[in-house]
Amino acid sequence: MELTVNGEIRQVDVDPDTPLLWVIREELGLTGTKYGCGIAMCGACTVMVDGIATRSCQTPADAVAGAQITTIEAVEQDEVGRRVVEAWVANNAPQCGYCQSGQVMAAVALLKENPQPTDQDIADAMTNLCRCGTYNAVAAAVRDASNA
Amino acid sequence: MTLFDRKAPFRAVAAELPADGAPLNVSRRVFLGGAGALTLAVALPLRRARGQAADAPPPPAVPAFLELREDGTALLRSPFVEGGQGIFTAMAQIVGEELDLAPDRFEVVNAPAGEDYLVMNGMRLTGGSMSVRFGYDAMRRLGASARAMVLAAAAQELGVDASELTTEPGRVVHAASGRSLGYGELAQAAAAQPVPAQVTLKDPASFRWIRQPVDRIDVRDKSTGRAQYAIDLAVEDMLLAAVVHAPRRGLAPGEIANRAEIEGMRGVHSVQLLPGAVAVLADRWWRARKAVEALEIAWVEGTSETPMPADFSSAGWKAQMLALDGEIADAEVEGDAPGTLAAAETVIEATYDAPFLAHGQLEPPSAIARFNEDGTLEVWTSNQAPEMFQGVAAGLAGLEPGQVSIHSPILGGFFGRHFVYGDANVMPEAIALARAAGRPVKVLWTREEEFLRDALRPLGVATLRAALDAQGLPVALEAVARGEGPTGRWFGAPPGKDDSAVEGLAGKVYAIPNRRVGQRYAKNPAMLGYWRSVGHSMHDFFYEGFLDELAEAGGRDPFELRRTLLAEQPRHLALLEAVGELSGGWKRGPFEAEDGSRRARGVAMASPFGSEVATIAEVSIESGEVRVHDVWVAIDPGEIVNPAIIEAQVQSAVALGLSQALFEEVVYEDGAPQARNYDLYRILSRYEMPRVHTRIVRSGAPMGGIGEPGLPGVPPAVVNAVAALTGQRIRSLPLSNHDLSAQSG
Ligand code: FES
Ligand code: FES
């Protein structure tokens, strides 16, 4: 099967229903995308599929063949992505950091679609779980990135 | 995790007694994961060591901790594990302060297992909010020793006496000649210098980084996916393993109907039986998982050391605890509480409870085990206590601890999850599978297996009784906790000496002349663990909720009652006033907020892990659910290292404290937990996160902990606010079990 990940075309030999998460992590060796729950509850596995934040643990690989898949590893190759990362750093947003790849990707997807989100927009889009309770810092970082 | 806290008594006992009172059978304890008890018992000369504080401590093993690099940066091996609490940054600040090297010039990694790193009076673990306060002096001496070595090297290089040299960040300066050298240029020569026998530490008045809100050093890697956790690691030639555990502890795998078929699946290496579990090894974890979940396994009664009764339920256990009779082991006694209660006219009594809790750290457990050709074993796994894991691994593999290397990646959250805990830990499976396969093996538990096998915060039940005098002030208070604490389970602390079973009921500072806190022990069939703030996570809820009941019975405002009872405690009184002020002045309510909702506030205090905390929460009821809008926290850790990290830890502790107050509960039925993922085990989401306002009070008292203390005040402050708003006194968590729909405002 052929997948386009971070702008590169990659051949992978997997069962078509293999979750995108495990293709990314195990076949492509990109471990920045995390496994948290596997049931699309936590958002740790968030990537962008054609610019839309997508929980890769519940996305079969064959459903995204032909789409542009972007993982956290490529986040800084993009203007909005760089701004989000800088805002994350400036706000010291991460604690353990495990959820943060997914949080960052969700924020990038939000800001690409909606550069000036309201607090409500942020609340609606940023639904990833964080067991360390970084929610307020994450929201502040999204606001910073949108105002920058 | 109160192990080395305020009270010494059980330590001596732990060193003499095995956990269960039976003769100590080393191999069995090791296999049970009770090696924690063993290792600690051996490694705990604590009281004596501290009694000898007058003797100068031995010089630190500088080369083991610190490498100066030629580019002017430094590699620091932290004795404490980073898991989100910011300890790497704090370590860089403390060492950097004395070394005179900016914290952002440090790369910090977790130290391996080894004697050099036992900086807590001959042992170490990451927990109990102990790292900074117990590592502070050792890390300062480390930095100061390294600076002395750099100066000695520069003196040789420049041909001057070291006393003529000074430093500025990252440079040695010889003012007389105007010459200077960067630390990078001196790195090699400095490493060759002897570690000085004695060093002088800086005057805190001249601190440049300690006490400043220095940026965390790990946030960029954690914002770009570069940070690597145990789950991300790989070694050459490894197999990937997925596991299914028996639905109930105590069952063992019997017949597997379709084993041959599964072993024929793509990528599958083999099916392996483990104690209470079955694993599939494969070339990819996803393939292993699909295969292991397709196995048709007949589970039969096995021979687990810690079986779960087939009829065990959390509701049944709670009922048993409520009915529990028998001896009370005193943990804290002052005056004559029973006598005063017997003679009193007004006695208030209430029973409180809190459920089993799961850790729910976002990174599921994983471990890699590799037997090397020279017979040694290497393990990569999430852990809070490398030497304990080393001891357990050595016992399992039949090796000496020195033949086992423990690699400790940063943790994707921990909250007490990553101690050994017998079969609640993944490492023993990795070791067994690596041995069986003759190849390195990485085991990763699914989220479902993690919820099945986590070591739980114990379900807690306590009965409180108090006598009020004619002024409505409490003159006697008796609190009896029922059940078992994790320190009793894992470190052999007997009832009455097990802080984890009573802390938060014991250790309160209110002026109540007659007090008795005790424990009615009952062995809990569930696998118990430490959970952020341990006993405090529920006992302060019991106590502070009850204190509000006493205020009400005595016709007093809860804030005023606390103020009265703290009149002789200036540190606590100041903290209470501070949180009142921070919240804009105490007001209980109910009142109408700007958005038209009806709200009220509750207050609570706690004295956890050497710090003092006062908390106020403001709540309303929205569609039958408690909504927490604001939480104000005044925290006095005595002295501080990084105020920004303290604030972040308070945010984090408030989130977890609120999560457990609102939703969390592990329900057992038929010996098995019912929730196996976050869908049924609800945790706090962004939507429920309140604004958090923190004030750090530096009283100058001895340095207290930071990671956990923000938590215990949150559940009682919220529950007390709910009582103020609704008149409904909630004595059982979580709040989501109570119908508040009539109260929507
Ligand atoms: S791992 Fe995909 S949402 Fe949790
Ligand atoms: S930072 Fe730890 S889970 Fe979010």
Side-chain angles (χ1 to χ4, degrees):
Chain A
M1 175 186 321
E2 213 171 80
L3 293 177
T4 308
V5 179
N6 300 334
E8 272 178 55
I9 296 177
R10 309 287 297 259
Q11 301 292 334
V12 293
D13 177 17
V14 295
D15 289 345
D17 63 350
T18 305
L20 177 60
L21 170 64
W22 297 104
V23 177
I24 291 169
R25 288 183 60 86
E26 297 207 287
E27 305 298 328
L28 305 182
L30 300 172
T31 57
T33 305
K34 301 304 187 204
Y35 165 59
C37 68
I39 59 167
M41 281 287 302
C42 74
C45 63
T46 304
V47 299
M48 287 193 295
V49 176
D50 290 334
I52 297 180
T54 303
R55 295 189 172 177
S56 63
C57 66
Q58 285 287 324
T59 305
D62 65 351
V64 292
Q68 291 289 336
I69 300 157
T70 310
T71 72
I72 185 75
E73 282 81 2
V75 71
E76 288 175 298
Q77 291 169 19
D78 166 273
E79 224 283 329
V80 178
R82 277 194 297 276
R83 230 185 318 135
V84 168
V85 168
E86 291 314 316
W88 244 249
V89 171
N91 282 277
N92 285 286
Q95 290 193 15
C96 85
Y98 195 77
C99 72
Q100 299 293 339
S101 296
Q103 305 272 11
V104 165
M105 294 309 281
V108 173
L110 166 67
L111 294 179
K112 276 178 170 294
E113 199 206 304
N114 178 358
Q116 300 288 327
T118 62
D119 283 356
Q120 191 58 48
D121 296 336
I122 295 174
D124 291 346
M126 300 297 295
T127 57
N128 293 10
L129 295 176
C130 174
R131 188 60 162 162
C132 300
T134 65
Y135 297 118
N136 289 331
V138 161
V142 176
R143 268 191 298 272
D144 277 8
S146 68
N147 294 332
Chain B
M1 317 209 334
T2 47
L3 285 176
F4 320 108
D5 216 38
R6 300 172 293 270
K7 299 147 232 159
F10 104 75
R11 286 176 210 131
V13 178
E16 287 153 23
L17 279 185
D20 50 13
L24 185 64
N25 174 329
V26 171
S27 62
R28 189 180 128 247
R29 293 220 56 83
V30 168
F31 271 79
L32 273 180
L38 182 67
T39 314
L40 269 202
V42 174
L44 274 185
L46 289 176
R47 260 303 118 179
R48 263 157 294 161
R50 255 204 259 172
Q52 293 164 351
D55 302 346
V62 176
F65 284 99
L66 197 64
E67 272 170 38
L68 293 182
R69 295 162 164 163
E70 293 185 0
D71 65 359
T73 63
L75 174 71
L76 175 65
R77 294 185 191 87
S78 169
F80 304 108
V81 180
E82 176 63 57
Q85 80 281 40
I87 194 65
F88 280 2
T89 305
M91 290 289 119
Q93 277 177 272
I94 298 167
V95 175
E97 184 70 65
E98 296 289 348
L99 172 60
D100 209 359
L101 185 67
D104 64 7
R105 305 297 285 161
F106 282 82
E107 178 191 347
V108 186
V109 297
N110 290 319
E115 275 191 10
D116 289 333
Y117 306 106
L118 308 181
V119 296
M120 294 160 66
N121 290 311
M123 65 82 63
R124 66 157 166 165
L125 51 78
T126 305
S129 298
M130 293 188 284
S131 302
V132 169
R133 54 193 170 124
F134 285 84
Y136 188 61
D137 288 337
M139 291 297 106
R140 285 183 70 191
R141 283 200 309 277
L142 172 71
S145 303
R147 180 173 175 273
M149 291 159 72
V150 171
L151 285 175
Q156 281 173 5
E157 182 77 24
L158 299 173
V160 300
D161 195 87
S163 63
E164 295 171 32
L165 299 171
T166 56
T167 58
E168 58 187 50
R171 285 198 90 72
V172 179
V173 179
H174 186 242
S177 66
R179 290 178 294 170
S180 74
L181 288 167
Y183 282 14
E185 298 166 76
L186 293 162
Q188 274 196 1
Q193 300 295 323
V195 179
Q198 267 198 325
V199 288
T200 311
L201 300 181
K202 273 175 96 165
D203 176 357
S206 66
F207 281 168
R208 191 191 287 265
W209 295 296
I210 292 178
R211 302 180 185 168
Q212 297 305 312
V214 168
D215 281 335
R216 290 181 63 132
I217 61 176
D218 51 2
V219 285
R220 188 169 295 275
D221 282 353
K222 288 177 174 177
S223 305
T224 51
R226 287 198 286 268
Q228 288 212 314
Y229 304 81
I231 193 174
D232 302 322
L233 304 180
V235 301
E236 212 174 311
D237 195 35
M238 74 179 185
L239 288 164
L240 282 300
V243 184
V244 289
H245 295 91
R248 172 167 65 77
R249 255 195 186 94
L251 295 178
E255 199 71 17
I256 300 177
N258 58 348
R259 182 170 183 156
E261 183 192 323
I262 297 298
E263 287 191 321
M265 281 172 73
R266 182 176 179 201
V268 169
H269 171 277
S270 58
V271 173
Q272 303 282 345
L273 303 192
L274 292 163
V278 181
V280 168
L281 302 180
D283 63 347
R284 297 286 187 276
W285 183 79
W286 179 253
R287 289 178 184 145
R289 177 182 181 171
K290 272 182 67 174
V292 83
E293 291 182 348
L295 286 170
E296 292 162 18
I297 306 160
W299 298 101
V300 298
E301 283 304 327
T303 54
S304 165
E305 299 269 3
T306 50
M308 205 50 157
D311 61 353
F312 181 84
S313 72
S314 40
W317 180 250
K318 182 166 132 185
Q320 243 176 291
M321 288 303 94
L322 288 169
L324 188 67
D325 223 347
E327 202 191 323
I328 298 172
D330 286 333
E332 184 180 288
V333 174
E334 187 73 47
D336 176 16
T340 315
L341 280 159
E345 263 181 38
T346 311
V347 173
I348 316 290
E349 175 171 337
T351 295
Y352 280 72
D353 68 84
F356 288 115
L357 296 181
H359 292 90
Q361 81 293 340
L362 205 54
E363 181 193 9
S366 65
I368 300 174
R370 179 175 74 192
F371 286 94
N372 297 320
E373 271 171 20
D374 63 0
T376 59
L377 170 64
E378 271 181 276
V379 173
W380 291 257
T381 195
S382 308
N383 75 86
Q384 301 177 230
E387 288 76 21
M388 290 183 202
F389 279 67
Q390 186 183 41
V392 172
L396 289 169
L399 298 171
E400 291 300 317
Q403 294 172 286
V404 178
S405 308
I406 301 290
H407 304 275
S408 308
I410 60 168
L411 307 172
F414 60 124
F415 322 117
R417 174 65 182 97
H418 294 304
F419 288 113
V420 177
Y421 300 143
D423 73 0
N425 179 243
V426 63
M427 178 183 75
E429 296 178 349
I431 292 171
L433 292 170
R435 174 136 283 168
R439 278 171 69 177
V441 171
K442 174 177 177 178
V443 186
L444 166 63
W445 285 4
T446 61
R447 177 59 57 190
E448 288 78 7
E449 295 304 308
E450 168 63 347
F451 269 107
L452 182 62
R453 275 293 180 273
D454 192 6
L456 308 175
R457 198 281 303 269
L459 183 154
V461 175
T463 299
L464 297 98
R465 297 198 304 143
L468 299 185
D469 68 11
Q471 284 75 50
L473 288 174
V475 287
L477 190 147
E478 183 187 75
V480 179
R482 294 134 186 235
E484 185 186 7
T487 303
R489 171 72 56 92
W490 296 110
F491 297 116
K497 308 269 184 230
D498 176 1
D499 283 353
S500 71
V502 293
E503 59 194 1
L505 294 167
K508 303 297 279 193
V509 292
Y510 300 114
I512 301 174
N514 302 288
R515 298 191 306 274
R516 178 195 195 193
V517 179
Q519 179 188 2
R520 234 180 215 137
Y521 176 83
K523 185 166 172 52
N524 196 323
M527 183 64 74
L528 303 184
Y530 290 91
W531 194 92
R532 196 173 189 172
S533 80
V534 196
H536 287 286
S537 66
M538 54 185 166
H539 297 141
D540 284 291
F541 153 61
F542 300 170
Y543 190 108
E544 295 284 320
F546 186 63
L547 193 59
D548 263 39
E549 294 195 59
L550 300 186
E552 172 139 10
R556 287 167 175 269
D557 174 83
F559 194 89
E560 288 307 322
L561 175 65
R562 285 174 177 80
R563 192 182 262 156
T564 306
L565 296 176
L566 294 173
E568 307 293 317
Q569 302 281 354
R571 184 182 180 193
H572 301 83
L573 193 58
L575 203 61
L576 182 65
E577 302 292 358
V579 79
E581 194 187 291
L582 184 66
S583 66
W586 168 248
K587 60 169 176 177
R588 188 171 186 232
F591 52 85
E592 190 171 308
E594 272 177 22
D595 66 357
S597 61
R598 268 181 88 246
R599 300 188 186 180
R601 293 182 183 178
V603 62
M605 300 197 69
S607 306
F609 308 102
S611 290
E612 299 294 336
V613 184
T615 308
I616 290 176
E618 178 173 313
V619 309
S620 67
I621 309 288
E622 251 178 36
S623 342
E625 272 200 0
V626 175
R627 177 104 175 122
V628 179
H629 300 272
D630 291 89
V631 176
W632 295 270
V633 177
I635 180 166
D636 173 8
E639 199 39 89
I640 67 167
V641 170
N642 188 323
I645 289 179
I646 293 175
E647 281 199 44
Q649 283 301 290
V650 169
Q651 290 267 352
S652 176
V654 166
L656 203 62
L658 185 55
S659 189
Q660 69 138 334
L662 293 178
F663 317 117
E664 291 186 37
E665 175 177 31
V666 174
V667 176
Y668 265 79
E669 275 168 34
D670 304 323
Q674 300 303 291
R676 302 285 298 275
N677 210 318
Y678 297 117
D679 51 352
L680 296 181
Y681 190 87
R682 182 173 170 191
I683 65 172
L684 196 85
S685 75
R686 224 195 74 80
Y687 178 74
E688 296 97 17
M689 184 73 195
R691 286 181 293 268
V692 179
H693 317 265
T694 304
R695 177 173 297 175
I696 300 167
V697 175
R698 285 167 50 191
S699 64
M703 193 182 281
I706 284 303
E708 298 166 277
L711 195 151
V714 176
V718 169
V719 165
N720 288 340
V722 169
L725 184 62
T726 67
Q728 207 167 324
R729 171 56 55 185
I730 291 182
R731 302 189 185 88
S732 175
L733 292 182
L735 284 159
S736 56
N737 284 349
H738 301 270
D739 183 11
L740 296 163
S741 50
Q743 310 287 350
S744 284

